[in-house]
């Protein structure tokens, strides 16, 4: 099966080999040494500045989201949530569950958050925390983090960034932007197995620790294991091995090169799909290069296209939230952003649509680009 969903993503052979290493205890010296190397890699991935907490929680990216919100804010704290799709709405659900004094600023589906609207809202009251999804997986929208981060920094609030579909596939400097907490999921741009939520918490963000009402998501407890090498919980050791190898692969290639690889493949795939009658869901100029969200040609149902692709060994995703039943979502993260996978995709799509030669058209359009 060719896996072209917006997560999980295909696993590199080196990562697959790491999963087969001998099992050790989570406090074994070899595992703790692995954790130290992971922290060094995460420091390069996130660039959070001196004194940051770097770790990978045992759980999905949703745990990373909940941990960020609940460690940086408490009941009654003023929180501004910037929402441009389903995963922004998930932040709203968490804020409601923890009884934050939250305000939601939404964009139209398929459009990014407007920095001017953020600037106007920040004039109305002092916020402790502002939270944004950088790349919205449900709509394929890339939000303008640089402009928003500058506004939040001037306001004096803490800034949290969901980097699930961007970290590991494009450069990110938390300290340059003034981001206090950023997180991702191991199965996204890093192309490791699901089950870990890598994150970075700035020195300023660490000053909030100790107030969380949860236990498992208490980042001060996470720090006991990752920094003091003491007992917190039983970590998934084999996933740590796999994450280390995935981080090494990403940094060896270079984040700028990975971004160029995704952008080039995104543009090539979209241009051919547009000729077939598909159209991009996200507004031009705000498209997330790691998740291509497209409406099917008029008269065709996305569910039938997905079913036909799956029968031919290609797995893509349908819509969720505002895009449910309306779109196909194609992953271009990590190992999914490879020409060989999309050759198979276009061959299968040609069979579904009754159009021959699509894989050859894709190859010709892509040219002799080294990936």
């Amino acid at each position: 099966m060719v896996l072209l969903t917006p997560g999980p993503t295909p696993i590199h052979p080196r990562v697959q080999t790491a999963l087969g290493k001998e099992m050790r205890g989570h406090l074994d010296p070899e595992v703790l040494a692995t954790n130290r190397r992971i922290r060094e890699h995460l420091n390069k991935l996130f660039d959070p500045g001196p004194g940051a907490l770097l770790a990978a929680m045992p759980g999905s990216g949703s745990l990373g989201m909940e941990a960020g919100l609940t460690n940086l804010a408490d009941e009654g704290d003023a929180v501004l949530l910037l929402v441009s799709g389903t995963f922004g709405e998930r932040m709203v659900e968490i804020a409601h569950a923890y009884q934050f004094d939250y305000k939601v600023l939404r964009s139209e589906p398929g459009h990014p958050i407007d920095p001017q609207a953020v600037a106007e809202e920040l004039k109305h009251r002092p916020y402790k925390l502002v939270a944004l999804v950088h790349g919205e997986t449900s709509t394929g929208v890339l939000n303008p983090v640089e402009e928003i981060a500058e506004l939040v920094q001037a306001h004096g609030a803490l800034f949290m960034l969901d980097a699930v579909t961007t970290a590991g596939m494009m450069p990110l400097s938390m300290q340059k932007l003034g981001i206090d907490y950023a997180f991702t999921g191991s199965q996204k741009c890093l192309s490791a197995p699901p089950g870990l939520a890598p994150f970075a918490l700035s020195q300023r963000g660490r000053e909030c620790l100790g107030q969380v009402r949860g236990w498992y998501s208490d980042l001060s407890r996470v720090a006991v294991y990752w920094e003091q090498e003491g007992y917190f919980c039983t970590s998934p050791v084999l996933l740590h091995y796999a994450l280390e190898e995935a981080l090494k692969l990403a940094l060896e290639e270079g984040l700028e090169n990975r971004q160029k690889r995704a952008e080039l493949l995104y543009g090539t795939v979209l241009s051919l799909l547009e000729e077939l009658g598909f159209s991009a869901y996200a507004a031009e100029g705000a498209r997330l290069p790691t998740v291509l969200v497209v409406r099917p040609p008029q008269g065709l149902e996305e569910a039938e296209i997905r079913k036909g692709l799956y029968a031919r060994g290609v797995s893509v995703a349908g819509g969720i939230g505002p895009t449910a039943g309306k779109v196909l979502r194609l992953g271009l993260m990590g190992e999914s952003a490879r020409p060989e996978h999309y050759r198979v995709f276009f061959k299968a799509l040609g069979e579904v649509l009754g159009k021959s030669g699509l894989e050859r058209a894709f190859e010709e359009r892509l040219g002799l680009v080294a990936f």
Side-chain angles (χ1 to χ4, degrees), residues 121-307:
E121 178 57 39
L122 292 176
K123 293 176 182 177
H124 294 159
R125 62 184 300 194
Y127 283 98
K128 180 179 183 182
L129 173 66
V130 178
L132 172 72
V133 176
H134 190 193
E136 177 52 65
T137 318
S138 64
T139 60
V141 165
L142 182 67
N143 280 305
V145 65
E146 292 85 1
E147 295 94 324
I148 293 171
E150 185 176 353
L151 295 169
V152 175
Q153 195 167 27
H155 186 76
L158 295 163
F159 189 28
M160 167 178 154
L161 187 71
D162 175 333
V164 164
T165 55
T166 54
M169 211 65 187
M170 57 181 66
L172 173 66
S173 174
M174 290 174 59
Q175 62 175 328
K176 287 181 181 178
L177 292 171
I179 298 168
D180 294 290
Y181 178 80
F183 68 95
T184 186
S186 54
Q187 80 282 11
K188 296 285 189 170
C189 295
L190 294 173
S191 287
L196 291 172
F199 73 88
L201 177 69
S202 73
Q203 177 62 55
R204 185 171 78 134
R206 294 188 74 146
E207 296 172 6
C208 298
L209 296 186
Q211 67 181 18
V212 67
R213 284 176 284 158
W215 188 91
Y216 194 71
S217 59
D218 184 346
L219 296 184
S220 63
R221 297 182 188 277
V222 176
V224 168
Y225 178 60
W226 283 87
E227 293 184 335
Q228 302 172 33
E229 300 185 344
Y231 176 65
F232 163 51
C233 69
T234 304
S235 293
V237 170
L238 298 182
L239 295 185
H240 287 214
Y241 293 151
L243 176 61
E244 180 190 9
E245 199 61 37
L247 285 164
K248 286 168 62 178
L249 282 163
L251 295 172
E252 285 169 9
E253 182 180 1
L255 300 180
E256 294 87 355
N257 291 332
R258 288 167 75 84
Q259 181 173 358
K260 290 176 183 177
R261 171 158 64 87
E263 289 174 344
L264 180 58
L265 197 52
Y266 183 106
T268 304
V269 172
L270 177 58
S271 67
L272 186 50
L273 287 176
E274 286 177 331
E275 287 189 9
L276 297 169
F278 291 83
S279 60
Y281 185 85
E284 191 170 358
R287 292 172 182 167
L288 173 64
T290 57
V291 180
L292 174 55
V293 180
V294 290
R295 298 181 182 90
Q298 190 169 4
L300 294 177
E301 297 291 332
E302 59 84 19
E304 290 303 311
I305 297 174
R306 286 191 293 113
K307 183 178 178 181

Side-chain angles (χ1 to χ4, degrees), residues 23-35 225 237 241:
M23 186 66 192
R24 298 289 182 95
H26 51 286
L27 294 174
D28 184 278
E30 180 180 321
V31 175
L32 296 178
T34 298
N35 292 349
Y225 178 60
V237 170
Y241 293 151

